[in-house]
Amino acid sequence: MTEYGYFLSCEEFTPAQLLDQARLAAEAGFTRLAVSDHFHPWNDAQGSSPFVWSVIGALSQTVDLPVTTLVTCPTVRLHPAVTAQAAATSAVLLGGRFTLGVGTGEALNEHVHGDRWPSFDERAEMLEEALEVMRKLFTGEQVSHRGRHYTVDNARLYTVPAEAPPVYVSGFGPNAAALAGRIGDGFVTMTPDRDLVGAFRADGGAGKPVIGGVKVCWNDDRDKAVDLVHRLWPTELLPGELAQLLPTPAHFEQASELVTPEMVAEAVTCGNDVDEHVATLRSYVDAGFDEVYVGQIGPDNEAFFDHYRREVLPALPR
């Protein structure tokens, strides 16, 4: 059975707007929430970036839906011991309805202390050690750890949930899928790639959940929707490892000059064609995803939620 959730984009919306969207999502019939974790937005046009752990605390008092981070990097900007405390508190506030989605991160968010930005292989090694540290701390026992990347000295979390939150690992290529299969409780990936899902399941992920997300722009004027996406989220179309390597919103704005409106119109679901929106989400179901999160680009949220409640969600396979 596939569940459909709403993707809260901290890069584009204020905390108050995110809480309003969460309420509307619950009323529209979405059964889960995902929330991004950024220090910077991708570009200045998006214009927001609240601290995700504060947002999650507010969400816990606003709606009863489960919440997943898509995704947190627990290796550079925040030490894994601090991330573990934030995740444990979130799980307590949400009554166990919290999933910690993690990844190897982007320089955009993680370079802010002035640390060197490691290669993917080193970041993957750091992530594996970070998960080891966090899972020990989730037990509520006193933990000391001295590893290659992290030291923990007599740390104990006193506020922990009855059960440790599941940790889902993000990945966009076969090596990352294999890592997720080996160390994750689930897999996060943003494209409906059946082969990548298969690689995850073959490398230790059999029986574990696969979740993904996609951004759309519902608008009665398709051209206006394309323009909104081109202005706010051209970064979605940047190729390769640029999203992991570029350090500032200004660099993303420079790279995004290569993205044309025609590219957006071809790649992103824009406009009010119900069948097109249904097909976009169905592609994830067909690729073997267990949870699919959809986020609306731009300010027209009420129309998005109204049409998804009446037309799109009822037409999706369960």
Side-chain angles (χ1 to χ4, degrees), residues 222-244:
R222 190 173 191 276
D223 291 338
K224 181 178 179 181
V226 170
D227 288 343
L228 274 170
V229 178
H230 185 248
R231 180 172 66 85
L232 293 171
W233 288 91
T235 51
E236 291 283 286
L237 276 71
L238 293 179
E241 295 184 54
L242 283 177
Q244 284 74 52

Side-chain angles (χ1 to χ4, degrees), residues 109-316:
N109 301 304
E110 307 307 320
H111 83 284
V112 294
H113 296 306
D115 298 282
R116 175 182 63 87
W117 185 237
S119 67
F120 170 78
D121 288 343
E122 185 175 352
R123 299 199 320 268
E125 187 179 83
M126 294 168 71
L127 183 63
E128 184 167 2
E129 186 177 339
L131 263 63
E132 178 186 351
V133 167
M134 291 190 294
R135 283 172 168 148
K136 288 178 180 178
L137 287 164
F138 288 151
T139 66
E141 298 176 0
Q142 185 166 293
V143 174
S144 291
H145 171 91
R146 188 171 297 276
R148 179 176 178 183
H149 301 286
Y150 304 107
T151 297
V152 179
D153 184 22
N154 295 314
R156 178 185 172 189
L157 297 183
Y158 281 81
T159 300
V160 292
E163 295 185 7
V167 182
Y168 293 2
V169 175
S170 174
F172 301 95
N175 291 337
L179 177 69
R182 182 164 54 85
I183 69 173
D185 300 313
F187 182 39
V188 179
T189 192
M190 293 297 114
T191 57
D193 188 328
R194 183 185 293 273
D195 292 337
L196 202 59
V197 172
F200 163 72
R201 299 213 183 280
D203 285 305
K208 298 178 182 178
V210 175
I211 72 174
V214 62
K215 290 182 175 62
V216 303
C217 188
W218 182 281
N219 196 292
D220 289 336
D221 184 333
R222 190 173 191 276
D223 291 338
K224 181 178 179 181
V226 170
D227 288 343
L228 274 170
V229 178
H230 185 248
R231 180 172 66 85
L232 293 171
W233 288 91
T235 51
E236 291 283 286
L237 276 71
L238 293 179
E241 295 184 54
L242 283 177
Q244 284 74 52
L245 300 179
L246 297 179
T248 69
H251 287 95
F252 278 93
E253 289 164 5
Q254 293 166 9
S256 295
E257 292 177 4
L258 301 172
V259 178
T260 66
E262 292 75 20
M263 293 166 64
V264 169
E266 183 176 348
V268 181
T269 301
C270 294
N272 61 359
D273 187 321
V274 172
D275 291 340
E276 186 177 351
H277 283 260
V278 169
T280 295
L281 273 64
R282 186 187 291 272
S283 66
Y284 287 82
V285 180
D286 293 342
F289 283 65
D290 300 285
E291 299 170 19
V292 185
Y293 294 86
V294 57
Q296 163 74 354
I297 293 172
D300 200 7
N301 296 118
E302 290 191 5
F304 166 87
F305 285 115
D306 181 54
H307 285 282
Y308 263 66
R309 175 182 60 81
R310 291 189 294 107
E311 301 175 85
V312 178
L313 290 177
L316 290 167

